[in-house]
Amino acid sequence: MRIAFVAANREVLPDPVIPLGLLSVLEACPSTHERLFLDLCFEPEPERALRDFVREQKPELVALSLRNLQSADYSDAHSNVQAYARLVAAVREVSEAPVVLGGGGYSLMPEALLERLGADFGVAGEGEVVFPALVEALTTGGDTAEVAGLYRRVEGRAHAPRTMPPFVDLATLKFVSRRRVDRRHYAASGIESVQTKRGCPLHCSYCTYPTIEGHQSRLRPPSHVADELQHIRLEAPEVDHFFVVDSVFNLPRRHALAVSDAIAERGIDLPWTCYANPLGFDGELAEHMVAAGCVGIEVGSDSGSDTVLAKLGKSFDAAAIREAHRVAESAGLLDCHTFLLGTPGETLDEVKRSLDFIVDLAPSAAILMVWNDDAEALVPPSASPRTELRQSILDLLSAQAASQGRWVVPPLGKRFDARRFSLLRRRGLSGPLWQHLG
Ligand code: B12
């Protein structure tokens, strides 16, 4: 079968990211099939590019990866859903090939999106087992309704899978070929994406990660992670940094330790950053991470108030955030903390206390987001709702952000805009840009 794998993501803030998940699904598909690949990230006219590609290449199946439902900017978070619908329509104009949807964004609303975009099939969560099973059914004339984990649209209505497949055994995954990656990704940021596990054991009330990856931690053998980094060195020598895309790198702690040691033992000399949780982050682990090349951690701290942290189902309190900062600083790691202000039930006083907390914490960078009830909405808000609380928080932030050089405030575009980012890159700065605020 001739299959077109198409990456639909066009977000470039804070940096463009390689379509790691889609490429992994491509690798999992037997090479007896013809596997074509198109990345729309840098295409000035994505619909036309896709239409031309499909017209010329005549795929018999189109796999469309939908990573982000929204833009990076939560202030007036724009929805990408209409743009995705136009892509499906562009395929339909020139081809009768079935369209299969997948990706992190798609996984959050598999039924609604299948109907709304008018595609034929969808896979929520990891695609390395379900997609090849669908290809097998389509090539052998099997019943697609029997494919475990497959959403189908029949007469305009989405049908959920009858059964779910087992999780993918990460030890069996092939390395993604970085030769297929559009070099403009590396030219833009030099950042590579690497995964050491799937699943998040935490239960933060608002978080979608477990919906995509499940709660159960499934680990890649540490030696595979180190092997993959060597493979990246060969296939993409221009890479000068990698980001660990795990929901949280340091949980389980023993895996983080083993992965760090495997990287250090190989002598892979490549700086990296990751998401870390104050839980299970201590001096010993930080030292091993640094020895493996880790230069910074991103922490979803969310609030400086214990009441709010408890309400959000966070597994730590404000004292643990301070301790994580202390540990990072003594190990020589930069730390970037994201805070989410004005969450449901939070008062303006609590927000003010959080701001005092952040000033006092003085991390390498703080990213301040303001809760937006509409952020998850499928229908794009033309302008985000300016509730009274939201507006008061934004006013507080505008007043304070000017004097806080390490605060990034995406809803106000403060230290978070494409022009500033490209200026910094042109100065040759590598890795996530928050590291260079100081
Ligand atoms: C790491 C990460 C980041 C890092 C990326 C760093 C890097 N170098 O890659 C950073 C911090 C930069 C980032 C930024 C953003 N992110 Co982000 N990110 C993630 C995270 C944690 C992991 C993504 C990842 O790489 N996973 C590993 C790969 C292997 O998995 P995957 O892409 O999901 O692919 C699998 C399946 O989805 C499926 N699949 C994928 N494509 C296809 C296609 C088909 C046809 C099929 C069948 C299956 C399939 O199979 C794949 C393999 O199993 C996810 C949350 C999560 N836990 O998934 C959010 C997530 C993807 N991000 C999200 C968002 C919104 C963003 C931003 C827009 C802003 C923000 N608020 O963070 C920006 C956009 C950046 C950009 N240019 O696109 C959302 C997207 C959904 C949504 N709500 O819109 C997610 C889901 C988190 C969330 N808030 O819900 N992100």
Side-chain angles (χ1 to χ4, degrees), residues 18-35:
I18 70 159
L20 181 69
L22 178 69
L23 286 169
S24 181
V25 177
L26 181 155
E27 296 293 347
C29 217
S31 56
T32 44
H33 299 289
E34 249 182 290
R35 299 168 300 177

Side-chain angles (χ1 to χ4, degrees), residues 9 11 15 65 67-69 126-128 193 208 213 275:
N9 181 25
E11 294 298 337
D15 281 305
S65 182
R67 184 192 196 275
N68 300 310
L69 296 184
E126 55 191 7
E128 291 96 339
S193 315
T208 59
E213 300 186 2
Y275 290 126

Side-chain angles (χ1 to χ4, degrees), residues 69-70 74 77 79 81 105 108-109 206-208 371-381:
L69 296 184
Q70 302 123 10
Y74 278 30
S79 165
V81 173
L108 301 181
M109 303 171 168
Y206 57 85
C207 184
T208 59
W371 181 263
N372 179 354
D373 281 331
D374 243 14
E376 293 297 327
L378 252 186
V379 182

